[in-house]
Every structure is written in structure tokens, then in C-alpha cells.
Amino acid sequence: MDFPGTLRDRRTRGHLSQLDLALRAGTTQRYLSFIESGRSVPGRNMVVRLGEALELPLRERNELLLAAGYAPAYPESSLDGPELAPVRTAIDHILRGHLPYPALVVDRAGDLIAANSAFDLITEGAAPELVGPGRNVYRLALHPDGLAPRIRNLAEWARHILVRLGHLEELRAELTGYVPELEPSAGLLGFAVPLRLQSSYGELRLLTTVTTFATAVDMSLAELKLEAFLPADPATAEALSAAAGTMACAAAQGPGNT
């Protein structure tokens, strides 16, 4: 698609009028109309401003620049490279700080980057090939050899996951085949949908939060998501604390301390 068509598509997808977008980008509706009709060619700075005004993900802002004939503005660094070393340190600190509750970091595709030790309680019993860095956490959640047999509210939780995968069509199609038919929700679900997961410490009722690096200008960093689990009731909080205590004791009594 050419630049005028790409811009118009992004604007209509964001439910913005030409006037709305022009005001956000600091230009006029007349000029924006000329851009979308191909009568005016915007400069690089204007394309950057339009991407910001549309609140596009950095990857899509680069695509907008390419469609306009300009080089991408936002880099994509390796998470293992020196540029993002402070980020890796911060991630490790955040994951440890969330203990005794599970937390993990995933990339744009849902592949695991890192997790804290409490996440082991979530993954217990799952097939080894579904667990660990580089493995897809959404597949882990819904695969028959993953968490699915232990999730008490699988249909509800599957719906919660699948609606997040609009940009991953192949994965969404695969995972849809693993779960029960998703009937429309009936009745009050409460203020949030908990994950009800059977574990060796009893049933865990967990709520999730998602945190992103809001000021990131590097695509790799901007696309990371920190997903943290929080107990939805006192029994779950006690179970997670007990599991953390057991793991700490096991670590202290490792081969070097026996």
C-alpha cells in the first residue's frame, strides 16, 4: 500500500477524523487531506509526528516511514547486546522484587525472555519442551501438554488469552484448536477474570497485570511485556509464600550444603 493509503488506513483504524489527527500532529486538516490524497508529500519529521499522533507501535511507525520513502527511525537492538544491558539488569531486579509471586517477561510473539523462580509453580507438570526461555507462554498456557489440564476455568482463561493475539494469526489459529468452544460469558464475572490453576499447593486463584516500557524508543524494548501474577485471595497468597519458602530451603540445602 502507498503512503497515502497506509496513513488513511491507520487513521480510520484508530477511529480518528482528519481534523482529530491534524490537531494531534500540529498541522491543518487541509494539509492532511492533501497528504491522504497524494497531492502533498510530507517531510520525514511530519511522518514521525503523524506516527506519534496515531500512537502507533514503534514497528508500525517504521513501516509508515518506509511507505513514505524514508529510513526507519526506531532501532531494534538485540536483548543480549550491550545497548540493553541496563534493561536486563532492571528486568532481573523487577522479577526478583515480585517474589514470592510469579512474574515473567515476554517478547512481541509471547516467547519467554525471563521469569522468576516462583513461575516454576505455574509450570509444574508441563511438558519440558513447552517450558523455558524462548518457548511461547501462550502455547504453554493452552496446550494439552501444558497448563490446560490444570486450569479450572479453561474456556474463560482461553478467551482472555486469544483476544490478545490478533497480531499473531497463525498462533491464534493453533491455540483455538486446543480449547473448548468459547461460549459468550453469562452473568457477572467480577472485576477481573482470575486464573484458577490447580497446583501441588492446592488451587491458586491469580490475577495478572501487564507492564510495558512506556518511554522506549527501541523496538525490542518497546515490545517487551512484564506479566506479573498476584494472589486473588488469602489462600493463594499463603500457598505462594509456602512454595517460595520450600524452594529457598531446597536451594540452601543444595549439593554444596549436604
Side-chain angles (χ1 to χ4, degrees):
M1 187 181 292
D2 59 8
F3 177 74
T6 300
L7 178 61
R8 187 166 51 251
D9 175 72
R10 298 298 188 271
R11 177 178 62 77
T12 55
R13 191 180 68 183
H15 305 291
L16 294 173
S17 67
Q18 285 187 342
L19 178 59
D20 291 333
L21 179 55
L23 290 173
R24 289 189 181 188
T27 187
T28 66
Q29 181 180 2
R30 183 170 184 268
Y31 181 52
L32 184 60
S33 176
F34 280 12
I35 293 174
E36 289 194 355
S37 66
R39 296 171 63 186
S40 292
V41 178
R44 187 174 189 273
N45 287 342
M46 175 55 68
V47 178
V48 171
R49 281 160 52 190
L50 289 168
E52 292 174 346
L54 288 165
E55 299 181 353
L56 297 177
L58 299 189
R59 190 173 297 276
E60 291 191 26
R61 296 185 197 186
N62 275 349
E63 291 171 357
L64 197 66
L65 282 162
L66 287 169
Y70 299 110
Y74 305 98
E76 184 174 12
S77 304
S78 169
L79 289 172
D80 297 325
E83 302 89 349
L84 296 186
V87 173
R88 296 195 303 274
T89 299
I91 286 172
D92 290 342
H93 177 75
I94 293 169
L95 292 175
R96 289 195 304 270
H98 196 67
L99 292 169
Y101 306 146
L104 63 153
V105 174
V106 299
D107 64 14
R108 179 174 182 267
D111 293 339
L112 183 68
I113 301 299
N116 65 14
S117 57
F119 190 59
D120 291 346
L121 184 60
I122 303 295
T123 63
E124 64 179 7
E129 62 270 20
L130 297 175
V131 180
R135 307 300 185 185
N136 190 274
V137 298
Y138 304 130
R139 182 177 290 111
L140 168 67
L142 301 184
H143 195 282
D145 296 329
L147 308 187
R150 296 167 47 220
I151 298 177
R152 295 292 183 86
N153 57 336
L154 181 57
E156 285 180 353
W157 190 251
R159 184 183 299 108
H160 168 73
I161 289 177
L162 293 174
V163 296
R164 301 167 61 184
L165 302 182
H167 65 297
L168 301 169
E169 294 182 5
E170 290 186 10
L171 179 62
R172 192 179 194 280
E174 175 195 339
L175 301 189
T176 299
Y178 294 148
V179 299
E181 185 174 352
L182 304 181
E183 298 291 342
S185 299
L188 181 66
L189 289 176
F191 63 87
V193 177
L195 169 62
R196 296 177 53 202
L197 184 68
Q198 188 61 36
S199 77
S200 56
Y201 286 80
E203 182 179 314
L204 305 176
R205 295 176 60 87
L206 299 159
L207 301 176
T208 60
T209 64
V210 176
T211 304
T212 60
F213 290 86
T215 59
V217 291
D218 184 285
M219 285 194 295
S220 296
L221 179 56
E223 292 173 348
L224 292 182
K225 291 183 177 62
L226 171 68
E227 302 203 15
F229 293 84
L230 297 169
D233 57 32
T236 299
E238 292 175 7
L240 292 172
S241 294
T246 299
M247 285 187 285
C249 288
Q253 297 173 0
N257 298 305
T258 56

